[in-house]
């Protein structure tokens, strides 16, 4: 099973600032990595797939990069609606599909 | 508009059973693989099960293998999760999610509480 880790667990950012979230896989997942955003009481929302492709309707301030075992989600200028929990997920080697533990982005 | 609507959650005693349903609309259900994913209170996301478009390929997480059964009825645009021998640790919000690999669409979830 591929284990996903994310850092930091919590990221405190001021609106308008840049946020950089990290995700690491225990073995290579190539570019088969997705990022999701989840707000309290809501279902996860797909942001990025293929490590760097934005899903339909996702603003350009969200960008993904990386391959192999190291990945990054960058939010270029945080808006109020971006404060949420972000999960990475690998789909290269499954079952099982595995998620990281999440990074909470909160207001500084 | 793609919509996924879970139902069937509720309070059940340890050792009991529940059957969750996921009603799909806004897309050709029979053309898409489906998954069940859960989230325990205050915790992260846990993938549980996958079913292919025809149901001939099914996978389970080790945590539910032998206790949960995924199925689908393409004529009814519905996905199911039969959950038996429920444990306290199965308490969670259960989501159905569309697509193989990464999930583009998710339902709003149904809460399952296992408690005596």
């Amino acid at each position: 099973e591929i284990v996903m880790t994310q850092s930091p667990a919590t990221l405190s950012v001021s609106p308008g600032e840049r946020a950089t979230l990290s995700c690491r896989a225990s073995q290579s997942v190539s570019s088969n990595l997705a990022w999701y955003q989840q707000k309290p009481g809501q279902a996860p929302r797909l942001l990025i797939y293929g490590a760097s492709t934005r899903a339909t309707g996702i603003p350009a301030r969200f960008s993904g990069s990386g391959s192999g075992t190291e990945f990054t989600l960058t939010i270029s200028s945080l808006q109020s609606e971006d404060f949420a929990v972000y999960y990475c997920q690998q789909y290269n080697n499954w079952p099982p599909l595995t998620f990281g533990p999440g990074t909470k982005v909160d207001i500084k | 508009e793609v919509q996924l609507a879970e139902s069937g959650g509720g309070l059940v005693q340890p050792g009991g059973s529940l059957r969750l349903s996921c009603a799909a609309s806004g897309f050709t259900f029979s053309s898409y693989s489906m998954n069940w994913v859960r989230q325990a209170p205050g915790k992260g996301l846990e993938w549980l099960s996958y079913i292919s478009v025809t149901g001939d390929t099914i996978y389970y997480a080790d945590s539910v293998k032998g206790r949960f059964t995924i199925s689908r009825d393409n004529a009814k645009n519905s996905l199911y999760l039969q959950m038996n021998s429920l444990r306290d640790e199965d308490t969670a919000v259960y989501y159905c999610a569309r697509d193989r690999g990464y999930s583009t669409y998710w339902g709003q979830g149904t809460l399952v509480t296992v408690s005596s």
Side-chain angles (χ1 to χ4, degrees):
Chain A
E1 173 177 330
I2 296 178
V3 177
M4 307 301 293
T5 56
Q6 292 184 242
S7 61
T10 303
L11 184 61
S12 296
V13 185
S14 299
E17 288 188 339
R18 182 186 192 92
T20 302
L21 289 66
S22 295
C23 173
R24 176 176 291 179
S26 60
Q27 63 189 78
S28 176
V29 298
S30 186
S31 294
N32 295 312
L33 183 106
W35 289 94
Y36 300 88
Q37 176 194 67
Q38 189 179 33
K39 298 178 182 179
Q42 296 186 17
R45 174 195 183 195
L46 178 67
L47 297 176
I48 301 283
Y49 62 92
S52 60
T53 302
R54 277 189 303 277
T56 302
I58 302 303
R61 63 180 182 273
F62 291 93
S63 63
S65 63
S67 65
T69 62
E70 302 281 344
F71 300 88
T72 300
L73 175 69
T74 301
I75 311 171
S76 60
S77 176
L78 268 156
Q79 307 298 301
S80 57
E81 61 267 29
D82 300 336
F83 293 97
V85 179
Y86 293 83
Y87 295 96
C88 61
Q89 178 228 325
Q90 70 82 21
Y91 53 96
N92 187 67
N93 188 353
W94 67 287
L97 293 169
T98 49
F99 293 89
T103 290
K104 182 179 181 180
V105 178
D106 66 13
I107 300 175
K108 187 174 183 180
Chain B
E1 180 192 3
V2 171
Q3 291 193 341
L4 297 168
E6 302 91 341
S7 61
L11 175 64
V12 61
Q13 292 189 337
S17 298
L18 274 180
R19 188 195 196 204
L20 305 183
S21 299
C22 170
S25 61
F27 66 100
T28 304
F29 179 72
S30 59
S31 296
Y32 290 89
S33 302
M34 299 292 296
N35 294 275
W36 285 101
V37 177
R38 71 183 176 186
Q39 186 170 36
K43 302 297 185 183
L45 301 168
E46 179 188 16
W47 171 82
L48 297 179
S49 186
Y50 161 90
I51 187 167
S52 62
V53 295
T54 59
D56 59 344
T57 299
I58 287 174
Y59 302 127
Y60 296 101
D62 287 347
S63 59
V64 303
K65 197 174 297 182
R67 300 188 300 124
F68 290 11
T69 302
I70 192 172
S71 63
R72 65 189 296 161
D73 186 335
N74 287 341
K76 294 183 177 180
N77 293 335
S78 293
L79 175 72
Y80 305 101
L81 187 68
Q82 176 67 42
M83 304 187 297
N84 298 330
S85 303
L86 283 161
R87 306 166 179 166
D88 291 349
E89 56 265 34
D90 294 319
T91 293
V93 174
Y94 286 71
Y95 296 102
C96 60
R98 199 194 81 174
D99 297 317
R100 176 184 175 87
Y102 59 89
S103 289
T104 312
Y105 295 99
W106 298 63
Q108 283 304 301
T110 187
L111 176 63
V112 173
T113 303
V114 184
S115 176
S116 54

